[in-house]
Amino acid sequence: MALYDFAKGIILEAGNKVRHWMKEDLDIETKSNPNDLVTNVDKATENFLYETIHHNYPDHRVIGEEGHGHELTDTNGVIWVIDPIDGTLNFVHQQENFAISIGIYYNGEPYAGFVYDVMKDVLYHTKVGEGAYENTHLLKPLEDTELKTSIIGINPNWLTKPIMGKIFMPIVNDARSARAYGSAALEIISVAKGQLAAYLTPRLQPWDYAGGLMILNEVGGIGTNLLGDPLEMNRPNSIVMANKQLHDQILNQYLSEFKETIASHHEKRFGRK
Ligand code: 2AM
Ligand code: CA
């Protein structure tokens, strides 16, 4: 079976398992801080995906949020970048608005992206270069917008932080309005569908954005860090994703004056500029 169809099959199967497992008792643990949660379902889903991939494709490598492959030092061959549950807080508190996210790379190049909205049973997917789909429906190329007529995606928690608040506040202020959905993968998909014109955040891991970014790129959207540099599959970064015109506007009119502050944020959080 072709790799793309295999990936589509296992993400749907994983979603099916999540819908079953979440009816049983959830075992919730905290990770880096009291609001950073992981559940037995996050771990079981990643294990299911890892084991199934490993069984069928022993030479493929997996980077997963819940522990697989974080020591990756090169990008040769096929690499799966997986978030078993993106939006764990929504999963725990709302039992919806979360996704399984998968990006597959071949020799460092994007090959296919998948974001599965588990409770809506909607799969967003692209085989890079062949169009992006919402189930079987082809997504249209993005239209350009400007900030003053745009709804943007940004988590309000960041506006309360002194440094990020200063950087993001003028953007929120000049936008038509702002929204926060709590799953980065689904927020990126909202940009790819034109429902949000942009999504900004100071810190994501590759598994949060790998699948979504491939889908966004496929409809002509742009994703970089807050300095305008490309995003990579094997390290965390700050994020601005948007249609092309708005991406240019946000970088040139709003973020360029904070270049040094952003670079020092990168250095502090990620150990590099
Ligand atoms: P997660 O649910 O997989 O942890 C919440 O705003 C979104 O940002 C979620 O998609 C969450 O992913 C993601 N996220 C990842 N790292 C984060 C961080 N360090 N701080 C806040 N949100 C983070
Ligand atoms: Ca996760």
Side-chain angles (χ1 to χ4, degrees), residues 31 42 65-66 83-88 207-208:
K31 294 203 285 188
D42 296 65
E65 174 164 23
E66 307 311 336
D83 193 344
I85 297 197
D86 180 66
T88 299
W207 45 79
D208 297 316

Side-chain angles (χ1 to χ4, degrees), residues 36 65 83 85-89 155 158 182-185 187 199 203-205 208:
D36 185 9
E65 174 164 23
D83 193 344
I85 297 197
D86 180 66
T88 299
L89 283 182
N155 186 327
W158 298 119
S183 154
E187 282 164 306
Y199 170 64
R203 187 159 80 241
L204 284 185
Q205 295 286 348
D208 297 316

Side-chain angles (χ1 to χ4, degrees), residues 97 117 120 122 124 134 137 139-143 145 149-154 176-181 185-199 216 219 241-243 246:
N97 303 325
D117 184 330
K120 290 207 179 86
V122 176
Y124 300 93
E134 174 177 351
H137 162 79
L139 296 180
K140 290 192 302 257
L142 279 188
E143 286 175 19
T145 64
T149 54
S150 291
I151 301 181
I152 63 168
I154 190 163
R176 178 165 274 170
S177 195
R179 301 282 184 272
Y181 301 149
L186 292 176
E187 282 164 306
I188 298 163
I189 290 297
S190 298
V191 180
K193 292 170 75 175
Q195 295 177 328
L196 293 176
Y199 170 64
L216 177 65
V219 295
M241 303 217 187
N243 66 61
L246 185 58

Side-chain angles (χ1 to χ4, degrees), residues 234-248:
N234 52 2
R235 44 196 220 175
N237 226 323
S238 61
I239 299 285
V240 50
M241 303 217 187
N243 66 61
K244 189 171 180 323
Q245 181 180 305
L246 185 58
H247 187 274
D248 283 350

Side-chain angles (χ1 to χ4, degrees), residues 80-119:
W80 297 62
V81 181
I82 293 180
D83 193 344
I85 297 197
D86 180 66
T88 299
L89 283 182
N90 289 352
F91 176 68
V92 170
H93 286 256
Q94 305 178 340
Q95 293 81 50
E96 61 177 347
N97 303 325
F98 61 89
I100 304 174
S101 172
I102 296 181
I104 306 177
Y105 295 82
Y106 180 61
N107 288 340
E109 296 296 323
Y111 165 74
F114 305 84
V115 173
Y116 184 39
D117 184 330
V118 174
M119 300 316 283

